[in-house]
Amino acid sequence: MREQEDQEVEDLPGADDSPIAINSYNPIKWSDNWREFQKKAYQYANRGSYRCFLKFDIANFYDTVNLSILENKIRSSVDKKQTFVVELLFHFLQNWNRQLERYSRKTVGIPQDEIGDCSRILANFYLQDYDAYMKSECDKHSATYLRYADDQIVMANNNDILHDILFNASKELFKINLNINSSKVSEFTADGFVTYWAFEIFQKLEDKENREDINQGVEMYFQWLDHGINFKKDSVLKRIITVTSRNINILEPHLRYRLLAEMYKPSFIVSLNFWGLNHLAFMSESPDSLYQMLDEQLESVRFNNFHYIVLKFYKKWRNSYDFSRLENKIKELALVLS
């Protein structure tokens, strides 16, 4: 059943780029919600209602959630009959990493997505008061606010309004122990925002059977690359791989060879999720070359999520591999990072 579910997810538009956890209870729903977020952003940009757009996210979101604040928010929102459930939940949240942290109770941070979906529910709940504040703040300035997980978009008619809202958002997040990731704050005009999301290219890549549109979309991708246009390059490349992995010959030869060179760049390889690696495996003429590249990255990459993804991928594709090597590497990194 899990293999069938994985196959369904692999064929979803956006599954390779949406923030879906590999252990998600319902990855199809996550993908649908991500596409809905993108669709709304596109509609607002296309209407011409706003001239200026601001995109930002939260730095180290899961790792900086304050458990005391989260507990107070939950206790104030549930019936007193659920007190035991709340206490049990926070017993787990304060002690889930005891193997590494021993008897020190956690006060900050909730488990990452390798553990499962429930952290996302808690993370979204943690930001509900912030959402209400942002909605109120944007209404004052005739602006609009969108959020998916920690990705946020604010739209207004001049940059001064955006800067005021961003400043106030930063103060509001600071109250709950969170900070804006300053390195990922981006400003756009309406046209620049549409270009950044590459909606025009994605439309060309919707139908896997439409040879003409797919070739035009891939051609456009490389033209934008060559001209230094600011757009979601990795997202587009992941979508190209999704629609061509089972039929690489649908591409014109000159596009096919350049695509193969582009997708084997180490920085791109380490950004792939489980489903993205599956697509790459289908496209690889020699699986051994892909395994070799992944093995090299496993030695240099310092975050565990990549190792978990490769472990699941190897269990599906590389039966001869000594999985204990990778499992030990995951434990070793966890010890170093703790």
Side-chain angles (χ1 to χ4, degrees):
M1 289 176 65
R2 172 54 79 181
E3 288 177 358
Q4 291 176 354
E5 289 173 357
D6 286 343
Q7 182 57 57
E8 290 175 2
V9 174
E10 282 181 30
D11 293 334
L12 283 173
D16 38 24
D17 186 48
S18 61
I20 305 173
I22 59 175
N23 295 317
S24 176
Y25 295 130
N26 191 343
I28 292 176
K29 180 61 68 176
W30 282 118
S31 178
D32 288 345
N33 291 339
W34 174 248
R35 293 176 67 200
E36 183 66 18
F37 173 72
Q38 291 180 306
K39 181 180 178 182
K40 286 182 177 179
Y42 176 63
Q43 289 172 340
Y44 277 115
N46 247 11
R47 285 176 190 166
S49 304
Y50 300 106
R51 296 194 299 272
C52 308
F53 290 73
L54 185 72
K55 180 183 178 297
F56 61 98
D57 64 21
I58 297 171
N60 304 313
F61 182 26
Y62 281 33
D63 291 333
T64 51
V65 170
N66 184 293
L67 295 183
S68 294
I69 295 174
L70 177 61
E71 183 175 3
N72 289 336
K73 286 177 178 289
I74 291 177
R75 287 189 183 278
S76 66
S77 302
V78 302
D79 192 286
K80 290 184 178 179
K81 295 178 181 178
Q82 302 298 323
T83 297
F84 172 75
V85 177
V86 176
E87 289 175 352
L88 182 61
L89 168 64
F90 280 90
H91 172 77
F92 285 124
L93 289 177
Q94 292 165 351
N95 296 281
W96 65 270
N97 207 22
R98 179 164 286 187
Q99 181 181 1
L100 300 177
E101 299 186 5
R102 298 302 180 184
Y103 293 100
S104 299
R105 295 175 66 186
K106 290 183 68 67
T107 59
V108 175
I110 57 179
Q112 296 290 322
D113 291 331
E114 305 90 65
I115 308 298
D117 259 354
C118 293
S119 287
R120 288 173 178 264
I121 298 172
L122 294 173
N124 271 313
F125 179 77
Y126 193 71
L127 289 177
Q128 282 192 332
D129 292 334
Y130 168 76
D131 287 337
Y133 171 83
M134 288 295 288
K135 174 66 166 60
S136 173
E137 193 68 18
C138 286
D139 286 347
K140 293 177 187 176
H141 299 282
S142 300
T144 293
Y145 163 71
L146 290 178
R147 180 178 69 82
Y148 183 94
D150 63 333
D151 287 322
Q152 302 173 61
I153 299 170
V154 178
M155 303 158 243
N157 277 318
N158 69 66
N159 285 324
D160 289 340
I161 291 175
L162 291 182
H163 296 161
D164 285 344
I165 293 174
L166 181 66
F167 177 72
N168 290 327
S170 178
K171 290 197 299 183
E172 195 67 17
L173 287 171
F174 186 73
K175 294 177 183 178
I176 54 174
N177 202 53
L178 301 177
N179 292 287
I180 289 172
N181 187 342
S182 58
S183 67
K184 291 188 176 180
V185 176
S186 302
E187 296 182 28
F188 303 93
T189 63
D191 289 342
F193 185 76
V194 171
T195 300
Y196 172 78
W197 285 89
F199 294 116
E200 186 179 358
I201 299 180
F202 278 117
Q203 287 176 347
K204 293 288 186 182
L205 302 173
E206 285 183 355
D207 185 355
K208 292 183 178 182
E209 307 302 323
N210 192 324
R211 185 187 188 96
E212 182 178 354
D213 274 2
I214 288 175
N215 276 276
Q216 287 178 359
V218 177
E219 188 80 59
M220 195 180 304
Y221 165 75
F222 285 119
Q223 286 175 356
W224 286 20
L225 272 185
D226 294 340
H227 287 85
I229 294 174
N230 180 26
F231 71 106
K232 292 173 69 73
K233 304 175 184 65
D234 283 358
S235 299
V236 174
L237 183 54
K238 289 170 186 176
R239 182 59 187 154
I240 291 172
I241 290 173
T242 300
V243 299
T244 60
S245 63
R246 305 296 180 104
N247 184 18
I248 187 71
N249 292 324
I250 199 171
L251 293 177
E252 297 296 332
H254 71 287
L255 296 176
R256 190 185 317 154
Y257 297 135
R258 189 170 180 187
L259 175 63
L260 291 170
E262 195 73 22
M263 71 187 195
Y264 273 112
K265 291 181 177 178
S267 59
F268 177 69
I269 292 272
V270 300
S271 74
L272 292 173
N273 61 20
F274 170 71
W275 298 288
L277 287 180
N278 281 336
H279 290 307
L280 214 60
F282 284 119
M283 298 178 76
S284 299
E285 297 178 358
S286 170
D288 289 339
S289 61
L290 175 59
Y291 300 152
Q292 181 180 351
M293 178 164 288
L294 288 173
D295 288 344
E296 291 172 358
Q297 298 311 308
L298 288 171
E299 292 301 317
S300 59
V301 172
R302 307 302 295 172
F303 53 91
N304 266 348
N305 186 51
F306 175 68
H307 294 73
Y308 279 111
I309 290 171
V310 175
L311 179 61
K312 182 176 181 181
F313 172 73
Y314 277 180
K315 285 183 176 180
K316 177 178 179 179
W317 289 88
R318 197 178 181 186
N319 295 328
S320 60
Y321 183 76
D322 179 7
F323 300 118
S324 64
R325 285 178 53 200
L326 189 43
E327 290 165 350
N328 289 333
K329 182 70 175 179
I330 290 172
K331 292 178 182 178
E332 175 190 327
L333 280 176
L335 288 168
V336 170
L337 293 174
S338 66

